[in-house]
Amino acid sequence: MAQTATGRQRVHEFLTGRGWRLDADAADPDAGWEYPGSFGGARCNPVADATPVPLQAYFSFGDDGAEIFCVVPAGNLHGSGCAEHDTAEQVVPVDGFASLLDDLESRAAAHDLRALIECRYFGPC
């Protein structure tokens, strides 16, 4: 479902109202958002394709060209580590994703960066 500017603004206000912030590399909501409470608020220096990723959300386009809303759980990059720490992208409806965020935000906050890195490099949990 294509989003209007008003619809995108509502999503932006909803997410920032929950403590999310714009993607670190952008000042535009079209780029997406990340949840700073990921990893209990701990920060690490990102290394491309190596460090765990925080909980993220963004608009994208599906195979049919239609606009979709995506959420990427906090954890290790897709395919590395165990299923519990996987970051498989989830396409979610814009209306009614609050309960999903309740679960993903609490899981993201509980993740320990060191445990995620050990899972990725020393074998799945």
Side-chain angles (χ1 to χ4, degrees):
M1 158 162 106
Q3 291 297 306
T4 63
T6 303
R8 285 177 177 259
Q9 184 63 30
R10 281 196 317 245
V11 169
H12 175 69
E13 289 171 2
F14 177 78
L15 291 173
T16 56
R18 292 177 71 105
W20 290 58
R21 63 177 176 226
L22 290 174
D23 182 25
D25 297 328
D28 180 359
D30 287 343
W33 303 264
E34 67 178 37
Y35 183 64
S38 298
F39 321 122
R43 304 289 295 165
C44 72
N45 294 325
V47 177
D49 299 333
T51 53
V53 296
L55 176 58
Q56 304 167 40
Y58 49 86
F59 286 100
S60 188
F61 295 94
D63 294 335
D64 61 358
E67 189 171 50
I68 56 176
F69 188 70
C70 304
V71 176
V72 176
N76 289 322
L77 295 170
H78 184 63
S80 60
C82 69
E84 176 67 22
H85 296 138
D86 190 39
T87 60
E89 179 181 71
Q90 299 177 32
V91 176
V92 296
V94 173
D95 298 332
F97 64 92
S99 62
L100 173 66
L101 291 184
D102 289 341
D103 177 53
L104 292 176
E105 287 171 351
S106 64
R107 287 179 50 205
H111 279 319
D112 176 86
L113 277 170
R114 183 176 186 92
L116 286 166
I117 293 168
E118 287 177 359
C119 174
R120 174 167 169 74
Y121 290 101
F122 300 114
C125 299

